[in-house]
Each structure stands twice: as C-alpha cells, then as structure tokens.
Amino acid sequence: MSRELKCRSCGEPALRPFLSLGNTPLADALVLPERVDEPEGRFPLDVAFCTGCSLVQILEEVPPEQLFVDNYLYFSSFSDELLRHSREHALGLIDQRELGPESLVVELASNDGYLLRNFADKGIAVAGVDPAPDQAEAAEAAGIPTIKEFFGPELARRMRADLGPADVIIANNVMAHVPDLNGFVEGMSLLIADDGLITVENPYVRELIRHCEFDTIYHEHFCYFSCTAVDALVRRHGLFLNHVEFFPDLHGGTLRWHIGPREDVSDVAAQYLDQERRDGLDTFEYFAAFAERVDRIRAGLVDQLRQLRGDGATIAAYGAAAKGSTLLNYMGIGTDLVDFVVDRNVHKQGRLMPGVHIPVRDTSALLEEQPDYVLMLAWNFKDEILSQQAEYRRRGGKFIVPIPNPEIL
Ligand code: DWN
C-alpha cells in the first residue's frame, strides 16, 4: 500500500515524486510455469525525492517477507566479479583492522556466505544475518553461522549480549532494502564496538541519474543513496560518515561508505559532500528531468528491437536479473520480441520472467540456439559476460547493451 508521503529517513512530509514506472510485478518473483495462470502481485513503482534530507525513495512499501523470504532467488555467488570484489574487501579489512581470532565480523544480508567465508577461512569469528531461508541454509552448509532474521535494534541487542560488540559490520546491498531504515541504522549503532567500523555498500544515486539506470529501481530497493542522505541518516543515530570509496564498475556505480561511532571525516568524504552540494544532489531539480530521459530510452530500445525482429532477426536476453524484470515490464518487452532469457543461477532456470513470462534457460542455450542478438539485461556485468560468451560472439552473435543508450557490441 502507498504510505503517507513521509520520508523514510527524516520522517518529514517533504516527498516530491519525479518518476513513475507503472504497476510492476516483484522483480525477483520469477514464475513457475505451472502457476503462470495465477494472478501475479503488481505494485506501483513511483520514485520521490525528499526535500528535507535528500533521500531518494520509492513510495510503495511491499512487506519485506514477501520480497525476501517467500521464494527469494538471488544468490550472490553467481558472479565471479562480485566474488572477487568481496574477497578484496575482506582481505583489506583483515589487514587494515588487524583482525584475528578475537575479532568479530558481522555481515547483514550475508546471503550464501559468499563474503564472510573470506574471514572464516582466516579463523576470524563471523556471524551472518539473513532472513532468506535458502540463502541462509547455503551459508550454514558452508560453515557460516547465520541468524535467519531481519536486522534491527532488538536483534542487535541480543547479538551484542550473546556475541559481544562487533569490530566490523558489513552491510552490502541491504541498507537500500529495509523499510525501517532508522531501525536498521540504530541496530548497527547498538552492535558496533566503540572503535569499530561499519562499511555500507550501495549503488550511488548519482550514477543512476548520470547513466539513466532506471532499471535498478524495483520494490526491493526502498532507497537510493547519496552521501548527503547517508550523512544525515547516520548522524541521527550517533554515527558518522567518515570515508567514501567509489567502484564505478560494480552494479552500475557503487559507493562504499565507511561509518563509525567516532567522528573522523576524511578529505574524500568531505569532498563528496561538497561536490554533491555543488552538483545539486540536494535539490529536486537534479532529478526533475529524469523521467523524460527514461522515456526516450524506452522509445529507442523498443523501436530497435521491433525493427530487428521485423527484419527476421532472432533475439534472446542475458540475465534474469531484478533490473531485467523492471526493464522488460516498463518497456512492455515480451515473447513477441525476446524468445528466452539465459542465466547461470540454477534456481532461476526453468522459471518465467515476472510479468512478461519470458522463459529462463541455462546459458548454454546461446550456443544451442545461436540467436542473432542478445539483450544484456545484466549490463552491470558486461565485461564478465562478454568474455564468458566469446564463442557466441565469434559465431557472429551480437549483444545489445540497453543502458545508458542502446549499443550493439
Ligand atoms: O540489490 C540487489 C542486487 C545487488 O542484486 C539485489 N536486491 C538483487 C540483485 O539485483 P539483480 O538481480 O539485478 O542483480 P544482478 O547480480 O545484477 O543479476 C545478475 C543476474 O545475472 C543474476 O541472475 C546472475 C546472472 N549472471 C549470469 O547468469 N552469468 C550473472 C553473471 C555475472 C554471469 O556471468
């Protein structure tokens, strides 16, 4: 249900909508073929800017149990690039923080243990938190203790009492996914040690706007963060945004915010905050023209696919990604244009894309069927996928990268 227009962070009735992507199905709720005739939930996907604290957020609030517990199919370990990035992050923290057997590292949204295993392999005590049952089970099977609950102040207090304060808390691609944003941050402030470090990674809203990454908007992502919005959010809970790292190629442009209970703001963090003020990320005007740009992409891509199809070309897609679901549904791209989607995630194979019901197959289908074109829905892993599909391309197959402007490779 659409909630009263109050900001999820500061609580002010100061939200100004700037984009509507229509009523869309849940992006990760891939459909079992035998249930294709059952009604699929569709929810408004409208995005607003808070003129009080600069947080960009969607207006609809789908219950997190429906998003992340009932049949959540996302497993982090299906991307080599993400595994490499995570390992580098872990080894860097072990070195910089001089972590050892007496240390405690907690990851919020630990998924299948893809990141914490880098700490556990070094004998460092770890605790994962993830309510998604299948992912938590996979983590436990890999020897990563995982608490199958949503994180908040109450769980933070229990964890601190049972395990002690955390030397490091890692929260990658989760702070954007929590409806109770203040409860989540308060929980981190309760669990972190006085000299501890919290690292939070999320896509950077500046990159979403710059590269028109509208497809990264879906109901799992309640918020889309700038440094300005994160700074206001954490200070409300006695925490400080002390440093920022930028990863331009991860998920379309990701920031890693270094947050702690002691104020020690680096020059880099100060520069990000200052640059955002100069660029206007704390104003509605920065976001006002985005909808128009999104519609231009829609018109261009759909026309291009229709023209290729009309010329007799065969078209498939790569990546049964949540972003792919947003793009296909917003653009109305179905089996009239795309025959099938391929994906390495075995839990997604054999299902149908939400809403448009395009079948998902194993990536081997690209060589079996050799479609003329493949729409790259998981464009954020472009290099990894192009390298992996060198044989398909050698045989003359071409990829269409839809964002920021349709490009044929
Ligand atoms: O925030 C989130 C981001 C981080 O990941 C989650 N809420 C949901 C998820 O969003 P997504 O599904 O858009 O993420 P990905 O990781 O961009 O999806 C990529 C898809 O492509 C996955 O289904 C895995 C698949 N894949 C593949 O088939 N072959 C990925 C790679 C790299 C590959 O080589």
Side-chain angles (χ1 to χ4, degrees), residues 180 197 275 324:
D180 179 6
L197 171 65
Q275 188 66 49

Side-chain angles (χ1 to χ4, degrees), residues 22-285:
N23 282 350
T24 63
L26 298 183
D28 264 318
L30 282 77
V31 179
L32 287 166
E34 59 268 26
R35 301 181 62 177
V36 70
D37 295 328
E38 293 177 16
E40 275 177 277
R42 284 178 172 268
F43 306 87
L45 192 51
D46 302 324
V47 192
F49 170 81
C50 174
T51 56
C53 71
S54 301
L55 181 66
V56 174
Q57 54 205 279
I58 61 174
L59 299 182
E60 191 64 19
E61 183 169 316
V62 176
E65 291 74 14
Q66 198 173 343
L67 291 168
F68 302 111
V69 177
D70 309 335
N71 187 31
Y72 185 56
L73 299 170
Y74 178 76
F75 285 74
S76 303
S77 295
F78 283 101
S79 159
D80 300 338
E81 171 57 25
L82 186 63
L83 292 176
R84 186 196 58 74
H85 171 83
S86 306
R87 179 166 176 74
E88 278 182 11
H89 183 193
L91 297 181
L93 284 169
I94 292 169
D95 181 42
Q96 294 145 26
R97 311 293 296 180
E98 296 178 341
L99 300 177
E102 320 70 44
S103 308
L104 173 63
V105 176
V106 172
E107 186 184 11
L108 308 179
S110 45
N111 200 271
D112 53 12
Y114 73 104
L115 188 147
L116 284 178
R117 67 183 185 207
N118 292 291
F119 295 97
D121 290 350
K122 303 277 188 186
I124 295 166
V126 298
V129 178
D130 202 308
D134 296 344
Q135 288 76 353
E137 191 179 310
E140 290 274 0
I144 305 299
T146 303
I147 299 169
K148 301 180 192 59
E149 294 182 39
F150 287 97
F151 184 74
E154 193 277 324
L155 177 55
R157 289 191 184 92
R158 270 190 284 134
M159 289 178 73
R160 187 164 187 131
D162 295 346
L163 303 171
D167 298 287
V168 172
I169 296 175
I170 298 170
N172 292 348
N173 295 300
V174 58
M175 197 165 80
H177 299 59
V178 293
D180 179 6
L181 185 56
N182 282 293
F184 185 82
V185 177
E186 183 190 352
M188 293 197 292
S189 72
L190 292 168
L191 181 57
I192 192 67
D194 291 346
D195 60 350
L197 171 65
I198 301 166
T199 65
V200 172
E201 275 184 25
N202 277 107
Y204 187 14
V205 74
R206 185 192 74 187
E207 300 302 288
L208 190 160
I209 299 298
R210 271 187 184 173
H211 307 300
C212 214
E213 298 167 357
F214 73 92
D215 53 346
T216 60
I217 297 169
Y218 36 87
H219 296 98
E220 291 172 20
H221 293 168
F222 292 88
C223 303
Y224 303 80
F225 291 111
S226 62
C227 297
T228 305
V230 169
D231 188 58
L233 169 65
V234 299
R235 284 178 180 269
R236 194 174 303 124
H237 299 278
L239 298 169
F240 300 91
L241 172 55
N242 287 329
H243 189 50
V244 179
E245 290 178 84
F246 180 42
F247 301 93
D249 300 324
L250 183 64
H251 290 307
T254 287
L255 285 188
R256 177 183 294 156
W257 292 284
H258 294 238
I259 297 163
R262 294 175 183 164
E263 188 169 14
D264 182 18
V265 181
S266 71
D267 292 345
V268 171
Q271 282 159 10
Y272 265 93
L273 291 166
D274 181 52
Q275 188 66 49
E276 288 187 357
R277 273 188 295 277
R278 282 190 274 117
D279 291 346
L281 271 83
D282 57 352
T283 68
F284 175 76
E285 288 64 32

Side-chain angles (χ1 to χ4, degrees), residues 267-342:
D267 292 345
V268 171
Q271 282 159 10
Y272 265 93
L273 291 166
D274 181 52
Q275 188 66 49
E276 288 187 357
R277 273 188 295 277
R278 282 190 274 117
D279 291 346
L281 271 83
D282 57 352
T283 68
F284 175 76
E285 288 64 32
Y286 185 83
F287 301 91
F290 187 60
E292 195 181 305
R293 291 171 58 205
V294 172
D295 214 46
R296 276 205 300 273
I297 286 185
R298 170 163 64 171
L301 181 61
V302 171
D303 287 350
Q304 184 175 35
L305 296 179
R306 283 192 180 135
Q307 185 171 346
L308 292 172
R309 197 78 180 192
D311 293 346
T314 52
I315 306 173
Y318 193 116
K323 62 175 69 67
S325 177
T326 291
L327 184 140
L328 295 173
N329 280 281
Y330 175 65
M331 296 195 170
I333 296 172
T335 49
D336 58 323
L337 291 173
V338 172
D339 295 324
F340 59 89
V341 176
V342 297

